[in-house]
Amino acid sequence: GYTPEQRLRMTLAANVMALREARGDTQAETARALGRDRSWYWKLERGQQNASLDNLVALAQHFQVPVTYLLTS
């Protein structure tokens, strides 16, 4: 099984990928809009990157959703 932290990272990954694809944006475009490099964002969408609270807020603002939406399956 997965740890609670791994499950949360996978939920975040799935949600940001779905939001990005719904906008029709590339990973590079999203990373640029967030002021991050593409490899950071690529890892985030694969559940391999921890996101700080500041990054969660930036993601939520970018996608115009509450932070809680990003972390809820």
Side-chain angles (χ1 to χ4, degrees):
Y2 296 104
T3 67
E5 293 84 1
Q6 288 170 318
R7 280 202 271 311
L8 202 52
R9 276 196 300 272
M10 290 187 308
T11 298
L12 174 63
N15 288 341
V16 296
M17 183 185 293
L19 288 163
R20 176 185 60 77
E21 289 176 345
R23 290 169 60 119
D25 293 341
T26 66
Q27 289 179 341
E29 289 167 335
T30 303
R32 203 168 22 256
L34 295 167
R36 302 303 305 246
D37 61 43
R38 195 189 68 77
S39 67
W40 178 89
Y41 188 80
W42 182 86
K43 289 178 185 173
L44 185 76
E45 278 197 5
R46 273 147 194 78
Q48 301 170 352
Q49 179 70 49
N50 282 326
S52 69
L53 183 56
D54 289 345
N55 287 324
L56 289 173
V57 170
L59 285 161
Q61 289 174 340
H62 176 73
F63 291 118
Q64 299 179 319
V65 296
V67 170
T68 52
Y69 179 91
L70 298 174
L71 302 174
T72 305
S73 43

